[in-house]
Amino acid sequence: MNEPFDDNYWMQQALTYAKQAEQLDEIPVGAILVKDNQLVAAGYNRSITDNDPSAHAEMMAVRKGGKALNNYRLIDCTLYVTLEPCSMCAGLLVHSRIKRLVFGAADAKTGSAGSIMNLLQEPKLNHQVEVLGGVLEGQCATIISDFFKRRRAQIKAAKKAARNSNEL
């Protein structure tokens, strides 16, 4: 029997999907849905491309996973995502009955798996999700922070070019 892949392996796979989002000039977040040590589905951010505020990496992977497993309940599945889920995605994970979430970088602004709130383990809800954060945290944080540094530099350059063209 083959040895099971570990959390680092699956997070590395999620990072490849984050890079696909980045190629579309999307916020580079990737997600992988795994069951029984097998890839079920994957997704990456497509909100800008699809003009859909719900098209987060987690949403894309869970939607595909439900279809692949022919079930809206993703019992015994683990979701690997490069960035801590927001409240919308955390709610999705609760409703889909995901067993476990593994994320890379924490999100101090919208993270709902422990950073600003912990929706996934809220005892008042009908399902709680096991959570492990910080897997390949450095790589996951770097891809996000580098993206936003580039974006800020692009915005600054565009403003400067606009000012220069107005001066002519």
Side-chain angles (χ1 to χ4, degrees):
M1 184 174 143
N2 292 339
E3 287 294 314
F5 295 114
D6 67 3
D7 292 338
N8 288 332
Y9 171 83
W10 290 115
M11 188 61 70
Q12 194 64 53
Q13 303 310 304
L15 277 163
T16 65
Y17 286 91
K19 291 173 185 170
Q20 289 184 36
E22 187 172 33
Q23 290 172 355
L24 294 174
D25 208 25
E26 293 276 356
I27 297 171
V29 178
I32 298 283
L33 186 68
V34 174
K35 182 174 183 171
D36 299 328
N37 201 40
Q38 297 289 317
L39 175 65
V40 173
Y44 52 87
N45 275 4
R46 294 188 53 89
S47 295
I48 298 165
T49 303
D50 293 350
N51 295 309
D52 179 355
S54 72
H56 289 192
E58 301 94 325
M59 188 75 70
M60 305 306 283
V62 167
R63 285 175 180 162
K64 291 175 186 175
K67 289 180 181 171
L69 295 173
N70 201 30
N71 196 338
Y72 73 100
R73 291 201 171 164
L74 303 175
I75 309 295
D76 295 326
C77 289
T78 298
L79 184 74
Y80 293 85
V81 62
T82 57
L83 183 66
E84 179 181 1
C86 68
S87 58
M88 174 184 68
C89 293
L92 170 73
L93 301 183
V94 169
H95 284 287
S96 66
R97 304 299 195 271
I98 294 241
K99 180 178 183 178
R100 185 169 175 252
L101 166 72
V102 178
F103 69 87
D107 187 343
K109 293 184 179 178
T110 65
S112 295
S115 287
I116 64 164
M117 71 175 78
N118 192 348
L119 191 60
L120 294 171
Q121 295 175 329
E122 172 54 53
K124 293 178 183 173
L125 295 177
N126 62 343
H127 178 73
Q128 289 79 42
V129 178
E130 296 173 30
V131 176
L132 174 63
V135 174
L136 299 185
E137 182 175 20
Q139 292 176 33
C140 293
T142 296
I143 194 170
I144 291 280
S145 64
D146 287 353
F147 172 83
F148 282 112
K149 283 178 192 171
R150 277 192 310 278
R151 180 160 287 172
R152 286 189 298 271
Q154 290 168 345
I155 291 168
K156 186 176 180 179
K159 286 180 180 179
K160 184 177 180 179
R163 272 195 316 270
N164 290 343
S165 69
N166 288 337
E167 291 174 2
L168 296 177

